[in-house]
Amino acid sequence: MQNKSKSGIGAFFSRLVRQQYFIPLTALVLLALFNLIADPAFFKISITTNSAGNAVLAGTPITILDYGSELAILAIGMTLVTAASKGQDISVGAAVAIAGSFILRMLCGGDSSSSTLHMPIICAFLLGCVVAMLFGAFNGVLVAFFKIQPMIATLILYTAGRSIAAWFNNNELPIIKDATFSYIGGFIPGVPIPTPFFIAVICVIVITLVLKFTNLRLYTEAVGINENSARLNGLNPAAIKILSFVILGLCVAVVGLIKVSRVSSINYSVIAKDIEMDAILAVALGGNSLSGGKFNMATSIMGAYIIQFLTQTLYKYKVPSEALPAYKAVVVILLVVMSAPTVREYFSNLMKKMKVKEAA
Amino acid sequence: MSKNNSSAQSGGLRGKLNNMTDTNMLLTITIIAFFLMYIGAMIFLKGGFLRTQTFFNILNANAALIVLSCGLSLVMITGSIDISVGGVTALITMCCAVYLDNMGGNVAVSVLIALAIGLAFGAFQGALVAFLDIQPFIVTLAGMFFAKGMTTIVNSNPFNVSNESFTALKNTRITVPGMGFVNAKGIYVDAYVEIGVIVALLVVIVMFCMLRWTKLGRAFYAVGGNVQSALMLGINVKKTKFLAHLLCGLLSGIGGYVYFLHSGNGAVTNAAGAEMNAIASSIIGGTMLTGGVGNIIGTFFGVLSFSTIQNIVTSAGLDEAWWTGITKAVILCLFLVIQSIVMSRKKK
């Protein structure tokens, strides 16, 4: 654009629109305004005593913080996978079931109603990480070496995942009676803020440091933008793609731990259901291109919390949880249509025509 | 096949294999695999597999899948994908069930409803994919979730349809002459197929002819093979892609109704994972995910192989719920890898 057009409200607005923060912030403001006008009680936070006898914060904003954190952790991995492989992993829900089931199996040691933990929680979690990362690597190998489109490749685990999860525990539903295990998905005594939020904060700090001090961002974006030139510059595109899937696997294991800790048990067909849609939506809402390349981690994480905001708003209006995907699908379609190159070109042409008219 | 085998410079089986086109090679593998598997099952598992009705039951249960797979093969040949077919099928069964039972509608209109829903999804998704250049995956994933969500909005509880003219249609059995068997009591029982099978076979024949002998069918292959060359040939690429999605939508409408005819109920869980089964069947039948390669006859045998494997797994005693999911995934994985290897070998 020319220099002189930078002044004026119109130019300021068009610059604002081009910012990546624009889409998530607008969505946030719209949702907040809508809830504020419809029912200010939506934002009420109160102090209640939970079943364990701790004073904890309660209210919709806390729920958003709580459940949005799971999504934020997944969004970290999904953003990397999207950037590197130009596709999305639709098996995250099933992989969460696998990781959760495996952690439970390790904790109860095959006895579905054992009263003592079979091994320390941290050991079970680390083993769960290894398993989830292996499944991530499986997806990654299919994508990187066999050149299968990510969504088709992950369709395999999407179908088999919940079956594998049930198989780990012989289709039984182990129950963990240890109280400390429920702290992870609930509240630590004396702390009124849900633990998943702290876990998400840790994950965000880790990924920020990794992106700052390593070349992960540069390499991932290079592979996503042009695989061939990345290879000619001495990168190994296959390894980087697999790495992104493995990192997603790690995120999945963390979410799996939180999910099974919430109920101290597991329900194979319900756990993390439709979460893949939310994770993809978080990435798209963060203004990241779904066809790979440059990415912005901060907006993806914001996107995750906004999705949870949307979910809670829909719940408030008595939308049953099974019907939620229909509304979210509409949001996805709107987002991808808005960010489609053809549509953008059409609108920028329209703007130019209007400017020409103004000038004349 | 024969015209490709005749080149003189390469002899032996390896040479022959090298000269076969992708479609023919994958098709041959599938058909041979299917017959080997079925004969193997007849020899080792005996039991049901020796009865002709078992084969027809596989057809009865998978008629809908055959129709859905034909639709998926079409979009895959065009180089696109549609993972909404399972969701659309569930939505169709629920809408038709509600219409027939709660509103007392008639059967002919319910067929039209099914086709309209399928066409609407096909047209909308096709428009987004073809004219706005949005990744087909995202669009149809959203379509799948939208359809599943809508199904629960229409009615959240599964129920069986008790409409009389519908149940009459559902229970219509068409006898297959000369294929009957003598049961344990020594009485001769005729083998039968349901109406859905006839519909599915008609769809297979029509689609096969369309792909092979019409301008549109050749355009599908051209667009899937190479968009640039298709443009240079003067093919309207966008329109072709749109039509592929539209046809797939229409076929998911037909497939949805065939499913409804077989199951006779409306439920959200209907056709769960059908998109994956249909994609797997198409891939097993030799349709390439990269586009431009595929054959409806292959898809037909793909469905048969895929469902026969499942039947074998259950008859072999592995009938716990999780085995079905795992076997399906393993088969899909295997065929995807085979395809990928075939493709990379061809490039060399």
Side-chain angles (χ1 to χ4, degrees), chain A residues 245-266:
Chain A
F245 275 96
V246 169
I247 294 175
L248 179 59
L250 193 61
C251 300
V252 159
V254 177
V255 176
L257 179 70
I258 297 175
K259 280 274 184 204
V260 289
S261 163
R262 280 191 200 284
V263 285
S264 286
S265 183
I266 193 168

Side-chain angles (χ1 to χ4, degrees), chain B residues 252-271:
Chain B
S252 48
I254 299 173
Y257 203 81
V258 170
Y259 190 99
F260 183 50
L261 266 181
H262 181 70
S263 75
N265 66 351
V268 190
T269 49
N270 268 352

Side-chain angles (χ1 to χ4, degrees), chain B residues 14-75:
Chain B
R14 206 184 156 74
K16 276 184 183 172
L17 276 178
N18 275 332
N19 284 327
M20 259 193 217
T21 58
D22 302 323
T23 322
N24 286 339
M25 183 164 136
L26 291 167
L27 182 62
T28 322
I29 292 176
T30 311
I31 295 177
I32 291 173
F34 170 68
F35 280 109
L36 280 182
M37 225 160 42
Y38 207 88
I39 292 166
M42 277 168 142
I43 295 169
F44 295 109
L45 292 168
K46 295 188 176 77
F49 282 97
L50 287 174
R51 250 177 269 139
T52 43
Q53 185 58 43
T54 308
F55 177 74
F56 290 115
N57 278 344
I58 292 180
L59 273 184
N60 286 339
N62 290 293
L65 186 59
I66 293 173
V67 180
L68 295 179
S69 302
C70 286
L72 257 164
S73 293
L74 278 186
V75 282

Side-chain angles (χ1 to χ4, degrees), chain B residues 252-333:
Chain B
S252 48
I254 299 173
Y257 203 81
V258 170
Y259 190 99
F260 183 50
L261 266 181
H262 181 70
S263 75
N265 66 351
V268 190
T269 49
N270 268 352
E275 59 281 341
M276 142 89 189
N277 294 352
I279 293 173
S281 305
S282 294
I283 290 173
I284 294 172
T287 310
M288 285 274 181
L289 271 172
T290 39
V293 179
N295 190 322
I296 292 292
I297 300 295
T299 306
F300 177 66
F301 276 99
V303 177
L304 288 185
S305 314
F306 193 60
S307 35
T308 309
I309 295 171
Q310 284 174 47
N311 253 21
I312 291 174
V313 168
T314 24
S315 348
L318 301 170
D319 50 355
E320 288 98 335
W322 62 75
W323 278 113
T324 338
I326 294 176
T327 9
K328 275 186 204 169
V330 168
I331 299 162
L332 178 61
C333 184

Side-chain angles (χ1 to χ4, degrees), chain A residues 146 151 159-160 167 274 277 329 342, chain B residues 132 137 142 145 276 322 329 340:
Chain A
F146 293 106
M151 278 195 164
T159 332
W167 180 41
D274 298 337
M277 186 72 169
T342 333
Chain B
L132 296 184
F137 255 120
F145 279 100
M276 142 89 189
W322 62 75
S340 160

Side-chain angles (χ1 to χ4, degrees), chain B residues 60-319:
Chain B
N60 286 339
N62 290 293
L65 186 59
I66 293 173
V67 180
L68 295 179
S69 302
C70 286
L72 257 164
S73 293
L74 278 186
V75 282
M76 277 160 73
I77 287 169
T78 326
S80 185
I81 194 89
D82 187 342
I83 50 178
S84 70
V85 289
V88 174
T89 301
L91 181 61
I92 287 170
T93 58
M94 189 53 98
C95 287
C96 290
V98 167
Y99 172 72
L100 283 177
D101 252 26
N102 300 2
M103 300 182 193
N106 70 14
V107 175
V109 180
S110 73
V111 176
L112 288 182
I113 290 178
L115 296 184
I117 293 174
L119 274 178
F121 268 86
F124 187 69
Q125 292 175 162
L128 289 185
V129 169
F131 299 119
L132 296 184
D133 265 333
I134 304 173
Q135 287 171 325
F137 255 120
I138 300 291
V139 173
T140 54
L141 186 75
M144 170 174 112
F145 279 100
F146 182 73
K148 281 187 178 165
M150 280 310 284
T151 313
T152 46
I153 291 174
V154 172
N155 191 345
S156 54
N157 300 320
F159 67 98
N160 284 324
V161 176
S162 51
N163 186 305
E164 272 172 26
S165 45
F166 175 75
T167 36
L169 190 66
K170 177 183 178 311
N171 293 330
T172 309
R173 290 177 169 187
I174 296 154
T175 323
V176 185
M179 290 296 242
F181 57 94
V182 180
N183 70 3
K185 288 175 190 160
I187 303 161
Y188 182 84
V189 185
D190 272 323
Y192 70 89
V193 290
E194 288 168 9
I195 293 182
V197 177
I198 309 293
V199 176
L201 290 179
L202 277 178
V203 166
V204 168
I205 294 167
V206 169
M207 285 300 135
F208 177 77
C209 297
M210 194 274 288
L211 276 177
R212 179 145 287 197
W213 288 299
T214 68
K215 206 174 149 191
L216 183 66
R218 304 318 297 173
F220 284 154
Y221 281 103
V223 170
N226 190 329
V227 175
Q228 281 304 321
S229 340
L231 269 174
M232 285 175 182
L233 282 173
I235 293 170
N236 188 339
V237 172
K238 289 186 174 176
K239 196 177 127 200
T240 313
K241 276 191 180 174
F242 175 73
L243 282 176
H245 275 274
L246 191 69
L247 264 177
C248 178
L250 178 67
L251 287 181
S252 48
I254 299 173
Y257 203 81
V258 170
Y259 190 99
F260 183 50
L261 266 181
H262 181 70
S263 75
N265 66 351
V268 190
T269 49
N270 268 352
E275 59 281 341
M276 142 89 189
N277 294 352
I279 293 173
S281 305
S282 294
I283 290 173
I284 294 172
T287 310
M288 285 274 181
L289 271 172
T290 39
V293 179
N295 190 322
I296 292 292
I297 300 295
T299 306
F300 177 66
F301 276 99
V303 177
L304 288 185
S305 314
F306 193 60
S307 35
T308 309
I309 295 171
Q310 284 174 47
N311 253 21
I312 291 174
V313 168
T314 24
S315 348
L318 301 170
D319 50 355

Side-chain angles (χ1 to χ4, degrees), chain A residues 55-68:
Chain A
V56 293
L57 293 175
T60 326
I62 300 297
T63 318
I64 294 172
L65 222 53
D66 193 354
Y67 286 84

